[in-house]
Amino acid sequence: MHQAQIAIFAALLSLEFTGLATAADPAASGLPPIEPYCHWEQTDLMIVEPLCGLKGDAKRGRAIATDGNRGNCVACHNMPFGDVEGYGTIGPSLAGIGGRYPEGYIRLRVVDTKSFNPASIMPGYYRDPGKIHRPAKIFKGRTFLTAQEVEDVIGFLMTMK
Ligand code: HEC
């Protein structure tokens, strides 16, 4: 593994398992405020309706996908940008993803892949925080991304055709 990849992957693991170790106060951590959770429905391996009925912004989504402290999708996935270093190759390339799958399929993958593939290491970015076993203190009541951030990332993925 490339040095930069190891660094982002380590950052991701600390986010998932221990929370942001140095930031005891969520406000100081740069995390957005805790929001009420929007329940979603899965049918035929898709979540057809946008989370909370929100509309995504592709430009913001691109920033979230590449931000090591937010989506960090590039830790595991290649995406067709020239300006990001240290792509991961643990997951499949997301180049052309918006042309390969319907939006509802992509939404379920980002929201909760483990719901249909328990062995997957793809993080569930919008799982019910009430069902997450012993979250790090800073993640209590939180999803990894907010509903708006998830919709932004999906908006961005749908532009990759
Ligand atoms: C820890 C590694 C990891 C991270 C971080 C990660 N993924 Fe994944 N992702 C995977 C793996 C591995 C797969 C392959 C299928 C599986 O294991 O479920 C996958 C599958 C997918 C798929 C389905 C692709 C296909 O061709 O079927 C999409 C879409 C996806 N990821 C989007 C994202 C987005 C968007 C992010 C960031 C918000 C992200 N992933 C972050 C590991 C990751």
Side-chain angles (χ1 to χ4, degrees):
M1 226 193 261
H2 193 279
Q3 190 89 41
Q5 252 172 271
I6 294 170
I8 27 189
F9 197 55
L12 179 91
L13 290 179
S14 69
L15 189 76
E16 177 152 20
F17 296 120
T18 61
L20 303 169
T22 50
D25 171 15
S29 70
L31 289 174
I34 294 177
E35 293 175 358
Y37 177 72
C38 294
H39 288 273
W40 42 266
E41 299 270 332
Q42 169 181 334
T43 24
D44 299 331
L45 291 182
M46 293 204 223
I47 304 173
V48 174
E49 297 295 327
L51 300 177
C52 321
L54 292 164
K55 194 173 165 5
D57 177 296
K59 201 164 160 235
R60 279 198 312 247
R62 182 195 198 281
I64 294 161
T66 53
D67 181 344
N69 289 318
R70 303 304 296 146
N72 203 12
C73 316
V74 291
C76 299
H77 292 283
N78 200 345
M79 289 186 192
F81 312 143
D83 58 345
V84 178
E85 281 181 33
Y87 287 117
T89 50
I90 296 162
S93 169
L94 296 180
I97 188 89
R100 282 202 298 280
Y101 298 112
E103 187 180 297
Y105 169 91
I106 295 177
R107 185 171 289 107
L108 175 62
R109 300 304 302 228
V110 178
V111 163
D112 193 1
T113 288
K114 280 198 181 75
S115 68
F116 62 90
N117 178 6
S120 178
I121 58 154
M122 163 89 190
Y125 285 88
Y126 201 81
R127 295 172 68 203
D128 185 344
K131 292 186 186 152
I132 295 171
H133 184 57
R134 295 179 63 191
K137 204 169 165 207
I138 197 157
F139 277 106
K140 266 219 167 84
R142 282 178 190 282
T143 47
F144 280 5
L145 293 178
T146 65
Q148 182 65 65
E149 287 172 323
V150 169
E151 291 304 324
D152 291 346
V153 168
I154 290 163
F156 166 61
L157 295 180
M158 292 312 290
T159 66
M160 290 202 284
K161 294 205 165 141

